[in-house]
Amino acid sequence: MDAEVIVIDNNSSDNSVTALQPLFPSFLFTANNENVGFAKACNQGVSLSKGKYILFLNPDTLVPEDCFIKCIEFFNTHPDAGALGIKMLDGSGHFLKESKRSFPSPRTSLFKLFGLAKLFPRSKTFSKYHLGNLDENKDHEVDVLAGAFMMVKREVLDKTGGFDEVFFMYGEDVDLSYRIQKAGYKNYYFSGSSIIHFKGESTRKGSLNYVRLFYNAMSVFVGKHYGGGKAGTFGFMIYLAIWFRAAMTAIGNFIRRVGLPLLDAALILLSFWLMKNVWNEYIKPDTYYENRLLWISFPAFTVFYLVTAYYAGLYDKWYKLSELVGSTLAATIVLLAAYSLLPEQYRFSRGIILFGALLSFILIGILRWLLVHSGIINAGTEKETNLNTLIIASQEEYATTVQLMKDAGLHERVLGRVAVTDEDSTGIGNWKKVRLLYDVVPFREVIFCEGTLSFKDIIEHLGQLPEGTILKFRARGSSSIVGSHSKDSSGEFVAKENGFKLNRPHNRRLKRLIDIMVSLLALLTFPIHLFTVKKPISFFGHCFAVLFARKTWIGYSASEKNLPTLRKAVMTCNGIPASVVQQLPLENLQMIDYWYAKDYVPFNDLRLIKRTYRNLGL
């Protein structure tokens, strides 16, 4: 079709414009020096356009090849249509409710705020905001279209104007949809094609920033278009919603970032206290345990437990039951080992430790289950590193995709290739029957390669995959694999950058632990270093800087923003003090840093610290 593509970059920091322009020379790119907001950026694109139809399209989307033609055909058969939205799916292939919406009102906001819309998703009354009573597989006239995919006739925009730039993010699509209706046109939800909208990229839905932006946008819309008592009532509802959601979000953020270890500590203390009483009552009733057992030993054991759990991964971004089991086992072993080193007066029954740890495991497991099901923390499907992966591709596409996985250090989880044509018998199965493979090959992840298969084929096939399958996509000619398992979290990508072992949470924790332990050991033995380290005063300054997370003992030798971030180095990874000017060419230093990050082994930091010990004060 005869079309123009206009890309407005809102001050991105990943060099994407520089990378994309040579690949798409016929596209018109405009790079803003600041993030001017969604509405203003879209209006920039409109001012540069010439077409009869204008499509506003988010960058985090995959669109089937025949989508635009179908949309224009719909306009041709519906002359009353002013704008058109489409059926959107998230990165797992599930329908996105915001594909069709009604205008906000006090009642619909109340039902949404207090969860009635979620309890009755198909109700015409309670789920009116997302028009849950309307079949998503049929075309409908609706009030609001989503700005992620919004096709509008140019003649309509000439009458209504573009997006209102008062809206920085959220609400601008509601406002434009309202003005289109006021101008005498209709907004349609079109189900004849589907796109994937990964979502979660601009603002996290669980964040306070999201709550503030979204509800403030609704407040602006109400003040602009509603008058009298209705605006006052709605305004009150909006501010009630802001405070309610802000409070819930703040509680959730506190639990995720700070409160989770505190809650665990309370449960661990409770478990040891209960087991001590049970033990004293039923197992050894004649044994007397002094109060200092509770006030000294139990808190000390709790600290041991939490530290061990942290380094075992229990407080990583995604919760997994296997990490709770592993951290409990590790913590129990550490506790029993620490118990054997205690003075005799602080010792008591090992059974209290063992069964206290078991009870704490049960209580923490129940707590995690409640937090996961309430949406406060996320289950760990996206964090799994041992996923069984099938790649749906031709032989050539498979080879290039496996190479990408190898560069990212993920190739070991690839089970094999699923053929994309009936004539190809070299795959482990055919893509049209991939669900049947699940009983034979228990895969958890599927990578679709666009090329031999079209995006249209891929999107239409998503519903045939087993529930819970993690989906990723690779476009023909691209050097990355993208996906998003949840509409509420940031998307994922697989590229060379994923191959850095230094990026793994376990290694980053161990690196920080090495920094802390080396600093503490150096400070505790400070008289020795006065005679063995060059510039001992600077050395002790480095110890405090590392201890307070301003520096790291071993770091990069050159500045490179494409590598995992590290604090300022005391000693570079090639064994030269950071204060000394490097003699090697910049390209060589960058390569040394690259391999340090890619093949990082925590023990190597210790060996380098030992080898360069005398120069750690330089």
Side-chain angles (χ1 to χ4, degrees):
M1 59 190 297
D2 183 18
E4 57 188 353
V5 179
I6 299 169
V7 180
I8 309 296
D9 182 85
N10 248 344
N11 195 32
S12 63
S13 58
D14 58 1
N15 296 317
S16 53
V17 174
T18 304
L20 290 171
Q21 275 184 309
L23 300 177
F24 302 95
S26 63
F27 292 5
L28 177 61
F29 287 84
T30 296
N32 292 325
N33 294 323
E34 61 177 323
N35 184 357
V36 299
F38 180 80
K40 188 171 183 178
C42 286
N43 290 343
Q44 282 181 269
V46 174
S47 67
L48 298 170
S49 67
K50 304 181 182 67
K52 181 180 178 181
Y53 299 94
I54 309 294
L55 172 65
F56 300 105
L57 181 68
N58 271 26
D60 52 349
T61 53
L62 295 178
V63 182
E65 292 74 5
D66 61 349
C67 176
F68 304 150
I69 292 175
K70 284 186 173 181
C71 290
I72 292 173
E73 288 175 349
F74 184 89
F75 274 114
N76 291 334
T77 57
H78 294 76
D80 59 346
L84 176 149
I86 204 162
K87 180 180 179 181
M88 298 190 296
L89 311 175
D90 66 14
S92 297
H94 297 114
F95 176 70
L96 287 171
K97 296 184 293 184
E98 52 266 41
S99 301
K100 49 182 177 63
R101 288 176 289 169
S102 67
F103 290 123
S105 70
R107 188 171 63 169
T108 57
S109 298
L110 185 68
F111 294 153
K112 187 174 185 292
L113 173 64
F114 291 103
L116 293 175
K118 194 172 184 179
L119 286 174
F120 306 100
R122 296 292 179 183
S123 169
K124 185 176 181 180
T125 301
F126 296 123
S127 190
K128 184 179 180 182
Y129 183 69
H130 286 120
L131 301 174
N133 61 306
L134 300 183
D135 188 345
E136 62 259 27
N137 297 313
K138 294 181 180 179
D139 302 337
H140 301 283
E141 181 185 344
V142 296
D143 288 333
V144 178
L145 305 176
F149 184 108
M150 190 173 183
M151 186 177 283
V152 189
K153 291 178 179 177
R154 174 176 288 279
E155 65 180 72
V156 174
L157 288 177
D158 289 340
K159 291 182 180 180
T160 63
F163 288 115
D164 189 339
E165 295 175 12
V166 171
F167 299 92
F168 182 83
M169 184 184 296
Y170 307 119
E172 67 286 317
D173 48 4
V174 181
D175 175 76
L176 182 56
S177 298
Y178 187 88
R179 287 187 280 120
I180 289 172
Q181 279 195 359
K182 285 294 184 182
Y185 300 94
K186 292 182 179 180
N187 297 317
Y188 279 96
Y189 163 78
F190 177 55
S191 64
S193 186
S194 301
I195 71 166
I196 293 177
H197 182 203
F198 290 114
K199 298 198 65 181
E201 295 305 313
S202 299
T203 305
R204 298 289 183 88
K205 286 196 76 174
S207 70
L208 284 170
N209 193 40
Y210 166 80
V211 173
R212 180 181 60 83
L213 286 172
F214 180 79
Y215 285 104
N216 281 344
M218 293 299 98
S219 180
V220 171
F221 174 80
V222 169
K224 180 179 177 180
H225 295 293
Y226 295 168
K230 189 174 184 180
T233 303
F234 201 4
F236 172 77
M237 290 299 304
I238 285 174
Y239 283 108
L240 176 64
I242 290 174
W243 285 106
F244 177 79
R245 291 292 300 273
M248 297 302 296
T249 301
I251 292 170
N253 288 341
F254 175 79
I255 291 175
R256 283 190 294 269
R257 297 173 185 175
V258 181
L260 204 52
L262 295 179
L263 291 173
D264 288 348
L267 292 177
I268 295 165
L269 281 171
L270 176 64
S271 300
F272 285 139
W273 181 78
L274 288 175
M275 288 312 305
K276 177 252 184 186
N277 288 336
V278 170
W279 207 260
N280 207 16
E281 182 75 22
Y282 299 105
I283 308 298
K284 291 186 176 182
D286 298 328
T287 304
Y288 172 72
Y289 297 108
E290 297 184 23
N291 285 334
R292 60 183 173 180
L293 180 72
L294 179 63
W295 296 110
I296 299 177
S297 300
F298 286 177
F301 288 166
T302 300
V303 171
F304 271 115
Y305 193 109
L306 291 176
V307 170
T308 306
Y310 171 76
Y311 283 102
L314 185 60
Y315 300 108
D316 283 352
K317 181 180 178 182
W318 306 100
Y319 163 69
K320 287 173 62 180
L321 178 61
S322 60
E323 287 181 346
L324 177 58
V325 174
S327 62
T328 301
L329 288 174
T332 304
I333 293 171
V334 170
L335 289 178
L336 290 172
Y339 169 87
S340 64
L341 300 175
L342 284 175
E344 187 68 32
Q345 64 266 32
Y346 293 117
R347 293 190 187 184
F348 49 95
S349 175
R350 289 183 178 86
I352 295 177
I353 298 176
L354 188 61
F355 289 102
L358 178 61
L359 180 59
S360 65
F361 165 75
I362 295 172
L363 294 179
I364 292 174
I366 294 172
L367 174 66
R368 291 299 190 280
W369 183 86
L370 291 172
L371 294 176
V372 167
H373 283 269
S374 64
I376 293 176
I377 64 174
N378 296 306
T381 51
E382 291 138 21
K383 186 175 175 286
E384 294 182 47
T385 56
N386 297 316
L387 293 171
N388 294 324
T389 304
L390 292 180
I391 299 177
I392 300 178
S394 66
Q395 290 183 357
E396 182 181 353
E397 293 159 354
Y398 177 76
T400 54
T401 304
V402 168
Q403 185 60 49
L404 273 175
M405 298 285 283
K406 188 174 183 179
D407 291 340
L410 302 174
H411 60 289
E412 293 180 355
R413 71 194 202 188
V414 176
L415 296 175
R417 181 180 69 89
V418 176
V420 293
T421 61
D422 295 335
E423 299 78 24
D424 186 354
S425 59
T426 59
I428 62 175
N430 185 275
W431 81 290
K432 295 178 181 177
K433 301 178 181 178
V434 69
R435 179 183 281 272
L436 300 178
L437 288 173
Y438 189 74
D439 293 332
V440 182
V441 184
F443 58 88
R444 286 283 292 112
E445 180 181 66
V446 169
I447 298 175
F448 283 99
C449 293
E450 181 263 345
T452 305
L453 290 178
S454 66
F455 276 128
K456 178 177 183 294
D457 295 330
I458 293 170
I459 292 172
E460 289 178 350
H461 192 75
L462 296 183
Q464 301 179 37
L465 292 169
E467 184 67 26
T469 303
I470 296 173
L471 305 179
K472 288 189 173 69
F473 308 86
R474 178 174 177 256
R476 173 174 36 198
S478 71
S479 57
S480 62
I481 304 164
V482 301
S484 177
H485 189 59
S486 168
K487 66 182 178 64
D488 297 331
S489 61
S490 290
E492 299 178 295
F493 73 96
V494 174
K496 288 184 178 180
E497 289 83 353
N498 299 102
F500 294 123
K501 291 183 179 178
L502 184 57
N503 253 344
R504 297 177 183 175
H506 177 71
N507 283 336
R508 296 191 75 87
R509 283 195 299 271
L510 289 179
K511 181 174 178 61
R512 180 61 186 148
L513 180 62
I514 289 171
D515 280 349
I516 293 172
M517 297 307 295
V518 169
S519 299
L520 288 175
L521 181 62
L523 292 172
L524 290 172
T525 57
F526 75 93
I528 300 173
H529 311 299
L530 291 173
F531 308 101
T532 55
V533 176
K534 297 176 182 178
K535 296 186 177 181
I537 303 301
S538 296
F539 172 69
F540 293 127
H542 292 327
C543 288
F544 283 108
V546 171
L547 197 59
F548 291 106
R550 292 196 297 271
K551 289 185 178 181
T552 181
W553 284 115
I554 307 297
Y556 296 137
S557 53
S559 177
E560 179 53 62
K561 65 181 180 180
N562 292 323
L563 296 178
T565 56
L566 282 181
R567 299 176 180 90
K568 185 179 179 181
V570 174
M571 185 68 61
T572 64
C573 54
N574 64 337
I576 305 296
S579 59
V580 176
V581 177
Q582 297 272 1
Q583 300 299 316
L584 291 173
L586 179 61
E587 294 79 5
N588 293 33
L589 296 176
Q590 289 174 338
M591 186 57 66
I592 291 170
D593 291 343
Y594 172 82
W595 287 113
Y596 173 76
K598 185 172 180 61
D599 298 328
Y600 178 76
V601 177
F603 185 70
N604 288 344
D605 277 6
L606 287 173
R607 289 197 297 183
L608 188 56
I609 290 169
K610 179 183 176 182
R611 181 166 62 84
T612 61
Y613 161 71
R614 288 182 56 79
N615 294 325
L616 291 178
L618 297 178

